[in-house]
Amino acid sequence: ALLTQPHLCTTTFPTIIGLICDQDKVRGEAITAIPGVAEVVPIMPAYKLASREAHPQDSIIDVSGVKIGGGHLAMIAGPCAVENQERMEEIAKSVRASGANIFRGGAYKPRTSPYSYQGMGADGLKVLREVGDKFGMPVVTEVTDPRNVEICAEYADMLQIGARNMQNFVLLTEIGKTTKPVLMKRGMAATVTDLLMSAEYILSQGNPNVVLCERGVKGFDTSTRNCFDVAAVPNVKGLSHLPIIVDPSHATGRPDLIPPCALAGVAAGADGVHIEVHNCPEEAKSDGPQALLPDQYAEIAEQIRKLAELFGRTIG
């Protein structure tokens, strides 16, 4: 009942038998165990809804009026963590003037050390919302716990899934039940297929609004925070219709490397750039050393705008 009539091709060697079946119910390893079967090659990828086969045209994700994908570029900027109202307003004002169209800030911070700053929580969400409204920018913030999905969705225009939670399938399922746009960062040791399978969790729950993010993977070179996999951008573009942006801040951890890596990402086809900006990095609650100063962000934002125009893309 799981198979239609097999399609037999005997003009090649070895013989190819095509089967139309439900891949969720027919395990490839079970077929491989049959004597005479050399290999099982799936034609449709496991990430069915995220695949190009299922959706040939680029998806365009609308974040409260800001479009991402299909030639529209997202310029996401802001501090790693939400801090006091005054500082957040100063940073938002500067990045908005430089061309940023989405403001970011973490109210809940999953940190490697339990003793590091963990964020302001619900109070931080309120500050982020007020600042975004004041400067006319949608806001994105990270969700770290299924119990916080509802309150984060109440205040934010876009929900971020951090690298550490990319395969937190309970969290993905809960976020998939919302209609909020989702920014999904690639895990620190995740393959491109892993990333797309995680996106599939959200899509399968009925939320089609997923934006992927290349933010670097673990490497052996200690001179940078992570290894910036710029090839992931065209790789994902070939496999999936979902937009993908780059985060050179987390990828490199070095302000001097952020501008060239941001430009490389855009040149490779990225649908946006995510950059951490802080007006006083030495006082930042989190990740200050990898943040650009407002003047530095203004310079790279102008270069990104020019490069985008060269490739026929618009910001927002």
Side-chain angles (χ1 to χ4, degrees), residues 108-111 142-146 148 160-173 175 182-188 190 194-195 198-199 201-202 215:
Y108 298 94
K109 298 300 300 176
R111 307 299 299 280
E142 183 172 355
V143 185
T144 61
D145 190 314
N148 296 333
Q160 177 182 309
I161 297 168
R164 293 170 177 82
N165 275 310
M166 190 205 80
Q167 291 183 311
N168 182 340
F169 301 123
V170 174
L171 177 61
L172 301 185
T173 299
I175 288 179
V182 178
L183 176 60
M184 174 177 283
K185 291 196 172 186
R186 182 181 179 183
M188 292 174 282
D194 292 336
L195 175 62
S198 289
Y201 265 87
I202 295 173
R215 48 80 71 201

Side-chain angles (χ1 to χ4, degrees), residues 216-235:
V217 292
K218 285 292 186 182
F220 58 82
D221 191 342
T222 57
S223 65
T224 58
R225 180 172 181 175
N226 291 292
C227 178
F228 180 42
D229 183 10
V230 70
V233 173
N235 191 4

Side-chain angles (χ1 to χ4, degrees), residues 22-226:
D22 186 341
Q23 290 178 221
D24 294 330
K25 297 180 179 179
V26 178
R27 296 182 297 114
E29 58 267 30
I31 299 176
T32 306
I34 298 172
V37 176
E39 184 181 11
V40 176
V41 179
I43 302 302
M44 188 75 174
Y47 43 88
K48 298 175 178 62
L49 298 176
S51 71
R52 278 281 178 197
E53 288 89 341
H55 195 297
Q57 300 299 318
D58 288 346
S59 285
I60 300 175
I61 309 303
D62 189 301
V63 184
S64 298
V66 175
K67 295 179 179 179
I68 307 176
H72 302 278
L73 206 66
M75 294 287 285
I76 304 174
C80 178
V82 176
E83 300 180 18
N84 63 70
Q85 181 101 16
E86 181 181 2
R87 173 149 285 161
M88 294 297 288
E89 289 188 6
E90 291 174 355
I91 299 172
K93 181 179 180 179
S94 67
V95 298
R96 182 59 166 163
S98 298
N101 51 19
I102 298 177
F103 190 58
R104 62 97 63 203
Y108 298 94
K109 298 300 300 176
R111 307 299 299 280
T112 301
S113 170
Y115 309 114
S116 297
Y117 180 67
Q118 302 291 316
M120 291 176 62
D123 290 339
L125 290 174
K126 295 173 184 177
V127 170
L128 186 65
R129 180 73 272 162
E130 291 175 9
V131 172
D133 289 344
K134 182 173 182 177
F135 294 97
M137 284 190 288
V139 297
V140 57
T141 195
E142 183 172 355
V143 185
T144 61
D145 190 314
R147 295 169 294 184
N148 296 333
V149 171
E150 185 176 354
I151 189 170
C152 287
E154 178 183 349
Y155 287 98
D157 300 283
M158 189 178 206
L159 305 178
Q160 177 182 309
I161 297 168
R164 293 170 177 82
N165 275 310
M166 190 205 80
Q167 291 183 311
N168 182 340
F169 301 123
V170 174
L171 177 61
L172 301 185
T173 299
E174 288 304 307
I175 288 179
K177 294 175 183 177
T178 76
T179 58
K180 287 285 183 177
V182 178
L183 176 60
M184 174 177 283
K185 291 196 172 186
R186 182 181 179 183
M188 292 174 282
T191 66
V192 166
T193 297
D194 292 336
L195 175 62
L196 293 173
M197 286 305 301
S198 289
E200 192 78 7
Y201 265 87
I202 295 173
L203 300 176
S204 69
Q205 293 300 313
N207 187 345
N209 304 307
V210 178
V211 177
L212 307 174
C213 180
E214 163 56 35
R215 48 80 71 201
V217 292
K218 285 292 186 182
F220 58 82
D221 191 342
T222 57
S223 65
T224 58
R225 180 172 181 175
N226 291 292

Side-chain angles (χ1 to χ4, degrees), residues 4-25:
T4 64
Q5 183 67 31
H7 299 272
L8 186 64
C9 180
T10 58
T11 59
T12 62
F13 181 81
T15 298
I16 297 175
I17 302 174
L19 302 177
I20 299 176
C21 62
D22 186 341
Q23 290 178 221
D24 294 330
K25 297 180 179 179

